[in-house]
Amino acid sequence: MDQVNWEQGYDLTPPSLCLRNATTCGQGDVPIYSVEAETVADIQAAVQFASTHNLRLVVKSSGHDYLGRSTAPHSLLVHTANFKNISFADAFFVGKRNVGSAVTVGSGVHVQSLYQAGKQNGKIVVSGSAATVCATGGYIQGAGHSALSPTFGLASDNALEFNVVVASGDLLRVNSISHPDLFYALRGGGSGSWGIIVSATLRTFPTFNATSSLIILLALNNAAAASLATVHAQHIFDMDSVRAGQYFFLFKNSTEASAPSVLALNSYMPNTTTAQSTAILAPFLNASLALPDVQLISQQFVDGDINDALFQADDSVGENTVLGSRLIPAGTYRDSPAKVGQVYKQLLDSGTVVILTHLVAQGQVAENAYISSAVHPAWRTAKTHIVLSNSWTDSATLGEIDAIRKQFKTQQLPILEKISGPNAGSYSNEADVLEAEFKTTFFGPNYAKLSAIKRRYDPKDLFIVPAGVGSERWDEWGLCQV
Ligand SMILES: Cc1cc2nc3c(=O)[nH]c(=O)nc-3n(C[C@H](O)[C@H](O)[C@H](O)COP(=O)(O)OP(=O)(O)OC[C@H]3O[C@@H](n4cnc5c(N)ncnc54)[C@H](O)[C@@H]3O)c2cc1C
């Protein structure tokens, strides 16, 4: 797993751990056997075997999951990393209808490979800000946000078809006319609950030039960081004219209130020059630098092909990390930007050291509200997705780890709700696996419909993931029914 805490069996009795530099190792939450699938027949055989023998089945493409849904103790894993096909078509047909230019992507294809192939073919797809997340594995089933989402919508808004092995072992072609109910579920209904994706076909767009920029600011204390967050909120609509996507990430290396914060502002502006992009960000930057205790560390603007702008060479792995998040309505930014800064201040004062604001909604995401899919409707009214990340080192005690795993729920959520509102939505791929009301927090009003679709395609609950559809019937490991 990318985040190695998901390999540990903290909650098993007794705990089963395998830490760095350990002299003895337990199996933890790592599957016992793995099928390194190379063909559809391999996947079908594994599914049928697991079904016949009543095995706990898990599915993994990259292992990047932040909720640990691609691993489980005492399980059989089906690994789809070998499905690397990428095939572009100028005309893709759903039934007899030509739905235009598209690319069919195997479920083991990394996002970075898709950007490279896109550049070679003069195309761009809506995909993640990552190197080795798989574009058509868990990412798209959760909804899939992108720096291009304000321009083109969510990744799942641009999915045209899936090839999926379902619990019966059948390979289904799933699109708007063939198994439309499963098509609905695979677009936002949560990763890992529906079957094993072999490939998905995604809409493509002609490639274009964009400016990507990275501005790094230093806030010398929590008050300065909070003021900067307010200024950012006040200027967040400045970029609407070019439908920019942006990541506004805060990091501290100490929980002390007097410790500085680094704020990295990574912006992607389609069809703009460096000069235009600089001008759009200037009001924010000037207001930021007028604040006391805020300094500019660096700024860099690069013009070029959008595929190059989004390409990343690698992801950072090997940490013990859990997340919690909320979708923040556009209305919060419009009506009360100062509240955003106040929430940053309270989060920082209570010991939060990582606040990740993703400006990946509105624009086409809001305009796609008419699409019938399982995407949480909160995406359609959100401006940002704010993620809080909590980490520990291998030397932490089990008691400390337990407290950190519950930190979002016990300490941070009540603060974040001051800007998200109560009972707000959260993006299920970057979220807290311990969400008390995951059915509504992750799936909103769609849960009942998703539950019915689950019963139809997976009546024996072969595909169960924590905080996923149907998981309420199972213990936390998906081993025993409750
Ligand atoms: C560095 C990093 C950057 C990220 N950036 C973004 C981003 O820009 N936008 C965004 O929206 N999200 C982002 N994410 C979150 C990402 O969407 C999730 O981690 C997602 O779960 C990854 O999917 P995966 O298939 O690669 O991972 P895995 O851990 O392999 O799988 C995740 C889930 O999908 C299921 N799954 C995997 N493969 C298949 C398959 N073939 N068929 C059916 N189910 C499958 C698994 O069972 C599991 O439930 C990022 C994560 C990381 C670690």
Side-chain angles (χ1 to χ4, degrees):
M1 296 296 285
D2 190 339
Q3 315 300 326
V4 292
N5 47 301
W6 301 113
E7 298 175 10
Q8 312 297 341
Y10 301 116
D11 296 332
L12 296 173
T13 312
S16 175
L17 309 178
C18 185
L19 304 174
R20 268 166 281 230
N21 304 321
T23 48
T24 57
C25 265
Q27 184 70 18
D29 282 359
V30 177
I32 302 172
Y33 292 100
S34 170
V35 175
E36 294 295 318
E38 291 175 354
T39 63
V40 172
D42 290 346
I43 294 180
Q44 290 174 309
V47 166
Q48 273 153 359
F49 186 80
S51 179
T52 304
H53 298 281
N54 192 23
L55 301 182
R56 171 74 172 102
L57 187 67
V58 285
V59 186
K60 174 165 104 171
S61 59
S62 75
H64 277 49
D65 198 61
Y66 280 118
L67 291 82
R69 295 170 297 183
S70 43
T71 189
H74 309 292
S75 62
L76 170 67
L77 172 72
V78 178
H79 195 200
T80 60
N82 291 312
F83 289 80
K84 297 281 191 202
N85 60 302
I86 301 178
S87 140
F88 288 85
D90 289 332
F92 184 76
F93 285 82
V94 172
K96 288 186 179 152
R97 195 161 64 92
N98 180 355
V99 291
S101 156
V103 60
T104 299
V105 182
S107 56
V109 172
H110 294 155
V111 165
Q112 58 175 196
S113 310
L114 201 48
Y115 292 133
Q116 282 172 319
K119 189 178 178 195
Q120 282 161 12
N121 287 272
K123 303 287 184 190
I124 178 76
V125 296
V126 176
S127 201
S129 172
T132 52
V133 161
C134 286
T136 58
Y139 167 80
I140 199 157
Q141 295 174 80
H145 66 69
S146 165
L148 293 177
S149 290
T151 309
F152 295 131
L154 297 163
S156 69
D157 293 344
N158 290 290
L160 301 171
E161 184 169 282
F162 294 86
N163 282 298
V164 191
V165 174
V166 290
S168 63
D170 294 327
L171 173 67
L172 302 184
R173 173 178 294 215
V174 176
N175 56 41
S176 57
I177 51 177
S178 165
H179 305 286
D181 49 356
L182 191 53
F183 188 53
Y184 169 95
L186 283 164
R187 293 171 300 143
S191 312
S193 301
W194 311 104
I196 303 186
I197 298 173
V198 176
S199 64
T201 303
L202 316 173
R203 187 176 288 123
T204 62
F205 302 89
T207 191
F208 49 85
N209 261 33
T211 304
S212 60
S213 60
L214 179 62
I215 296 175
I216 300 184
L217 298 158
L218 187 71
L220 295 182
N221 48 52
N222 288 354
S227 302
L228 198 47
T230 296
V231 168
H232 181 255
Q234 285 163 341
H235 287 276
I236 204 163
F237 298 103
D238 292 1
M239 293 162 290
D240 283 5
S241 57
V242 292
R243 301 206 163 197
Q246 189 186 66
Y247 305 93
F248 179 63
F249 287 180
L250 177 150
F251 305 97
K252 279 181 77 173
N253 61 11
S254 157
T255 54
E256 294 294 319
S258 58
S261 297
V262 172
L263 286 117
L265 190 81
N266 202 184
S267 313
Y268 296 87
M269 300 200 186
N271 300 308
T272 57
T273 61
T274 299
Q276 288 166 327
S277 184
T278 307
I280 290 169
L281 288 171
F284 160 76
L285 192 56
N286 293 339
S288 299
L289 296 177
L291 293 170
D293 298 331
V294 171
Q295 298 168 2
L296 178 66
I297 301 294
S298 63
Q299 54 176 323
Q300 191 188 11
F301 289 74
V302 181
D303 235 335
D305 184 283
I306 184 66
N307 282 293
D308 287 337
L310 293 174
F311 174 87
Q312 292 191 14
D314 212 347
D315 292 327
S316 105
V317 300
E319 289 180 6
N320 298 298
T321 298
V322 288
L323 305 182
S325 65
R326 282 295 180 271
L327 290 156
I328 310 299
T332 297
Y333 289 90
R334 213 176 289 118
D335 304 336
S336 33
K339 264 196 190 172
V340 177
Q342 286 157 15
V343 160
Y344 265 66
K345 177 81 166 55
Q346 286 174 32
L347 286 169
L348 294 171
D349 287 347
S350 68
T352 301
V353 292
V354 179
I355 306 176
L356 310 172
T357 293
H358 298 70
L359 172 48
V360 288
Q362 275 218 302
Q364 196 61 44
V365 176
E367 285 160 24
N368 282 348
Y370 71 92
I371 292 178
S372 172
S373 75
V375 168
H376 195 310
W379 268 109
R380 307 303 183 187
T381 50
K383 182 71 181 167
T384 66
H385 162 54
I386 294 188
V387 180
L388 308 178
S389 168
N390 297 307
S391 299
W392 61 93
T393 64
D394 275 5
S395 61
T397 64
L398 286 178
E400 288 165 342
I401 293 169
D402 193 53
I404 295 170
R405 288 166 74 203
K406 292 180 180 146
Q407 190 175 344
F408 178 73
K409 192 159 81 175
T410 56
Q411 290 174 26
Q412 297 167 321
L413 179 57
I415 301 173
L416 198 53
E417 282 187 327
K418 292 179 185 170
I419 50 173
S420 70
N423 310 315
S426 165
Y427 173 40
S428 64
N429 273 350
E430 293 173 326
D432 183 6
V433 73
L434 301 178
E435 277 290 350
E437 306 297 335
F438 77 88
K439 294 184 195 174
T440 44
T441 306
F442 294 163
F443 307 108
N446 301 330
Y447 195 81
K449 182 169 175 180
L450 287 167
S451 212
I453 298 169
K454 171 94 179 154
R455 289 273 191 210
R456 222 168 288 149
Y457 288 91
D458 186 16
K460 291 202 292 187
D461 281 348
L462 199 57
F463 299 105
I464 285 295
V465 294
V469 175
S471 64
E472 69 276 11
R473 295 187 280 275
W474 294 82
D475 67 13
E476 68 174 287
W477 301 284
L479 287 168
C480 297
Q481 282 188 313
V482 292

